[in-house]
Amino acid sequence: MNTGKQWIIAVISLGLTAFPTAAHAAEPAVYTRTDFAMDTVVTETVYSTGEDITDSVIGILKDLETNLISWTNENSQIYRLNEKSGEEVQVSEELSGYLKQILKLSEDSNGAMDPTLGRVIRLWDIDGENPHVPADPELKSLMENVGYEKVSLSGNKVTLEEGCTLDLGAVGKGIGCDAVADYLEQQPEISGMILNLGGSSVMTYGEKTDGTAWKVAVTDPRDTEGDYLGVISLNGKEFLSTSGDYEKYFIEDGKRYHHILDSASGYPVDNGITSVTVVCDNGLDADGLSTACFALGVEKGRELLEKYEADGLFVDEAGEIYMTEGMEERFERR
């Protein structure tokens, strides 16, 4: 069995220990930190004229997962919502806002991004201890409860059809980036930050002291040594997300089975695409769009990106790269 890895790397020449490195008091100090939250490695680099806020950022991410989006933690709103499928449940304004955004993206993508696939994903157990191709009867049984249309939202009240469950894994890191960005807006001493969640979701805020663009390297999906295709420039407050078949997968009888599933069949998407990278002005949208565009393919994916005024980069099995016009201006080939 082979295990995929996430290789998006924030290209910054900084250490990994949290300490200020300002040349003098008038310049922002640089704080860096590496930690673990939302089931992934989190790296932060913050430019601040005040205190080190890296610990607060980790706290925001952990609180979001524990109390809002986890499907396993009993304190989470999503957990409690799933436990009461078939009933109307009142949720927080924060969660209802996220769900409204998610359901719109699901509708706009014709279900290519679907938040009700969680139980099917876990059946495959692709990143677990027993990855396998499930038996058709079991898969078909779970697929009967899949479909974003089975989720009803009215204000802060949510109803899941009996048997339907929500899993926000496809947009969770993006939500985390949005929450951190909102926090930074209330911190006037922060002049810049780059946040990297597990390699697949990156947020930039403000600017570096030298005024240059933030740089993010994007991996070659078929390079086993973790080489990269090129570098994408981000400016100000922007969000980048990549979905690829190399992140979580197993190989059985010579065929690769990855974690991005077709919401119509319950099987991994098989359309010749190996990775999609999206840049836009919202973390949840970036995360969801990268998944949706992976499933839709280049042409339909371009149409969806245009609707969201987002930039995208697609890579296919032959190693060919397809980009939106906006991405062409950002991307520098290696």
Side-chain angles (χ1 to χ4, degrees):
M1 180 186 77
N2 290 321
T3 301
K5 296 182 179 179
Q6 299 173 342
W7 289 102
I8 299 179
I9 306 165
V11 183
I12 46 178
S13 300
L14 297 165
L16 295 179
T17 305
F19 60 90
T21 58
H24 53 78
E27 295 182 359
V30 181
Y31 298 96
T32 62
R33 179 187 178 111
T34 300
D35 210 315
F36 193 83
M38 302 191 82
D39 200 32
T40 195
V41 175
V42 177
T43 59
E44 308 173 56
T45 299
V46 179
Y47 294 81
S48 173
T49 56
E51 297 180 354
D52 179 4
I53 64 162
T54 56
D55 188 58
S56 296
V57 169
I58 293 296
I60 290 169
L61 296 175
K62 290 183 176 180
D63 179 72
L64 182 71
E65 179 180 25
T66 300
N67 296 312
L68 198 76
I69 66 176
S70 172
W71 60 269
T72 59
N73 192 306
E74 294 182 5
N75 295 318
S76 164
Q77 290 188 55
I78 288 295
Y79 179 94
R80 294 196 296 268
L81 189 56
N82 287 339
E83 285 292 293
K84 295 185 177 182
S85 67
E87 302 177 28
E88 184 179 77
V89 178
Q90 183 153 340
V91 300
S92 68
E93 185 175 349
E94 181 182 19
L95 181 56
S96 66
Y98 289 138
L99 291 178
K100 181 178 180 180
Q101 192 174 345
I102 291 166
L103 293 175
K104 182 180 186 303
L105 179 54
S106 297
E107 182 178 4
D108 289 342
S109 66
N110 292 317
M113 199 290 293
D114 194 304
T116 66
L117 272 166
R119 292 177 64 191
V120 180
I121 293 171
R122 290 188 284 280
L123 175 64
W124 283 84
D125 198 26
I126 289 176
D127 61 341
E129 297 181 358
N130 183 34
H132 64 285
V133 179
D136 278 346
E138 189 174 11
L139 179 59
K140 289 179 179 178
S141 176
L142 290 183
M143 286 298 295
E144 291 178 0
N145 295 315
V146 169
Y148 71 92
E149 305 94 336
K150 299 178 184 293
V151 183
S152 300
L153 179 64
S154 177
N156 290 356
K157 295 179 180 179
V158 183
T159 304
L160 306 180
E161 288 188 13
E162 186 72 37
C164 178
T165 58
L166 280 172
D167 185 330
L168 306 190
V171 294
K173 295 184 181 69
I175 290 175
C177 287
D178 284 332
V180 172
D182 289 343
Y183 167 73
L184 293 177
E185 293 285 0
Q186 307 303 315
Q187 311 300 317
E189 73 278 10
I190 306 301
S191 59
M193 178 180 186
I194 186 164
L195 175 69
N196 188 328
L197 298 183
S200 61
S201 292
V202 177
M203 180 207 75
T204 58
Y205 179 88
E207 61 182 22
K208 295 184 286 183
T209 53
D210 62 7
T212 60
W214 304 98
K215 301 284 188 178
V216 179
V218 182
T219 190
D220 179 343
R222 289 296 180 265
D223 191 297
T224 57
E225 301 301 320
D227 206 352
Y228 60 96
L229 295 171
V231 175
I232 293 174
S233 294
L234 303 178
N235 298 289
K237 188 172 73 172
E238 294 190 311
F239 302 83
L240 177 149
S241 179
T242 292
S243 294
D245 69 357
Y246 60 93
E247 295 172 341
K248 301 173 184 177
Y249 71 95
F250 69 95
I251 292 178
E252 185 172 304
D253 296 330
K255 182 175 177 61
R256 178 186 297 255
Y257 295 93
H258 58 82
H259 72 295
I260 305 174
L261 303 185
D262 184 333
S263 60
S265 69
Y267 276 81
V269 173
D270 186 11
N271 60 4
I273 297 297
T274 56
S275 76
V276 176
T277 298
V278 171
V279 175
C280 68
D281 61 3
N282 180 272
L284 189 160
D285 283 345
D287 215 354
L289 284 169
S290 66
T291 298
C293 290
F294 186 101
L296 290 172
V298 177
E299 295 308 317
K300 291 184 178 179
R302 283 181 188 271
E303 294 175 6
L304 183 61
L305 291 172
E306 184 176 353
K307 183 170 185 175
Y308 279 77
E309 298 182 349
D311 297 333
L313 181 151
F314 301 73
V315 184
D316 68 14
E317 291 176 337
E320 293 295 322
I321 297 175
Y322 307 87
M323 292 180 280
T324 61
E325 184 175 346
M327 185 62 81
E328 290 177 355
E329 298 174 0
R330 297 175 178 274
F331 183 68
E332 181 182 349
R333 284 179 181 266
R334 180 176 179 274

